[in-house]
Amino acid sequence: MASSRLPPAALTLTLKQFMRRQQVLLLYRKILRAIRQVPSDSDRKYLQDWAREEFKRNKNATEEDTIRMMITQGNIQLKELERTLALAKS
């Protein structure tokens, strides 16, 4: 009997969960890309470690409102980082 390639029902995501997961991954990638522009090696390393720890610490969050709030906060912090980097370059 051939085994199914589909994950067990407990591991499948609803469409809403899948889309939220994509938002989180996109935010994570954007933050790491922005951090790459930080000129100081030590600051860049600190920010990379901080970002990884924040995402890792919250990876088990399941409540929809909490996840939405964290995505909003992450986007605000990303914009602030981008503004700071733009000011530093000018």
Side-chain angles (χ1 to χ4, degrees), residues 1-22:
M1 181 173 197
S3 65
S4 172
R5 290 182 175 240
L6 295 174
L11 297 178
T12 58
L13 301 175
T14 65
L15 179 60
K16 187 183 243 182
Q17 290 169 326
F18 177 80
M19 297 199 41
R20 194 68 66 204
R21 182 176 188 274
Q22 295 308 308

Side-chain angles (χ1 to χ4, degrees), residues 24-47:
V24 170
L25 292 174
L26 179 62
L27 175 61
Y28 183 65
R29 286 191 297 269
K30 284 181 178 179
I31 288 172
L32 290 181
R33 276 191 212 113
I35 289 172
R36 274 191 246 152
Q37 298 174 23
V38 173
S40 166
D41 288 340
S42 61
D43 290 343
R44 190 177 327 112
K45 175 77 171 113
Y46 171 79
L47 289 171

Side-chain angles (χ1 to χ4, degrees), residues 49-61 70 77:
D49 291 343
W50 168 80
R52 285 187 184 113
E53 283 304 311
E54 283 297 307
F55 278 84
K56 197 181 292 186
R57 186 167 58 89
N58 293 307
K59 78 176 187 176
N60 293 321
M70 287 189 283
Q77 291 173 339

Side-chain angles (χ1 to χ4, degrees), residues 38-39 77-90:
V38 173
Q77 291 173 339
L78 173 61
K79 283 186 176 83
E80 185 64 32
L81 175 60
E82 291 170 339
R83 273 195 297 268
T84 302
L85 289 169
L87 283 173
K89 287 181 181 179
S90 59

